[in-house]
């Protein structure tokens, strides 16, 4: 299993970024995918997830209304559109796949991509 994130970078507050995660090594179209983030000195936190069909999504309260998760099962890609970014969104963002080994756990993680939001 391999998950590779892209699209991170430096952006000013109020700006937008679109992250992508390319998946391989498992049947992408049958698994829930999630985005998580970890800021320096903080625990990793859930950001958003999307079910295998792309019909159900969940968001952390801190990003609801600003971030949008989507997926393209033909391309084995999951995306995170991030709008109205604030310095509090600065973190390493990682994608993860649920249910490859354990039905209810995120089993594999990407290395992450850095998102830095300047004030």
């Amino acid at each position: 299993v391999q998950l590779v994130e892209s699209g991170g970078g430096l952006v000013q507050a109020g700006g937008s970024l679109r992250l992508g995660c390319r998946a391989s090594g498992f049947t992408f179209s049958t698994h829930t995918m999630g985005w998580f983030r970890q800021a320096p000195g903080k625990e990793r936190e859930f950001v958003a997830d999307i079910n295998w069909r792309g019909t159900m999504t969940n968001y952390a309260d801190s990003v609801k209304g600003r971030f949008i998760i989507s997926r393209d099962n033909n391309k084995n890609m999951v995306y995170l559109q991030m709008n109205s970014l604030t310095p509090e969104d600065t973190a390493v963002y990682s994608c993860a796949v649920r249910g490859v080994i354990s039905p209810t756990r995120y089993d594999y993680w990407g290395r992450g991509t850095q998102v830095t939001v300047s004030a």
Side-chain angles (χ1 to χ4, degrees):
V1 172
Q2 191 170 25
L3 300 169
V4 180
E5 301 90 344
S6 61
L10 174 64
V11 63
Q12 288 188 328
S16 299
L17 280 176
R18 189 192 193 206
L19 306 183
C21 172
R22 182 176 301 278
S24 61
F26 64 100
T27 307
F28 179 78
S29 60
T30 62
H31 290 277
T32 291
M33 297 296 297
W35 283 98
F36 294 76
R37 67 185 182 185
Q38 188 167 19
K42 294 187 176 181
E43 297 284 320
R44 182 170 60 198
E45 65 174 352
F46 168 81
V47 175
D49 66 15
I50 185 167
N51 73 335
W52 63 279
R53 293 177 61 188
T55 55
M56 294 180 61
T57 58
N58 296 292
Y59 296 93
D61 287 343
S62 58
V63 307
K64 203 170 292 184
R66 301 187 298 122
F67 290 12
I68 301 171
I69 188 171
S70 62
R71 67 190 294 160
D72 185 337
N73 286 346
N74 291 321
K75 296 182 179 179
N76 283 16
M77 292 287 295
V78 60
Y79 304 98
L80 186 68
Q81 177 67 43
M82 306 186 296
N83 302 318
S84 302
L85 286 161
T86 73
E88 289 68 39
D89 295 315
T90 295
V92 175
Y93 286 72
S94 301
C95 66
V97 56
R98 191 168 79 189
V100 175
I101 300 175
S102 171
T104 59
R105 288 176 53 184
Y106 285 93
D107 303 307
Y108 292 95
W109 302 78
R111 288 190 171 186
T113 185
Q114 176 70 48
V115 171
T116 303
V117 184
S118 63

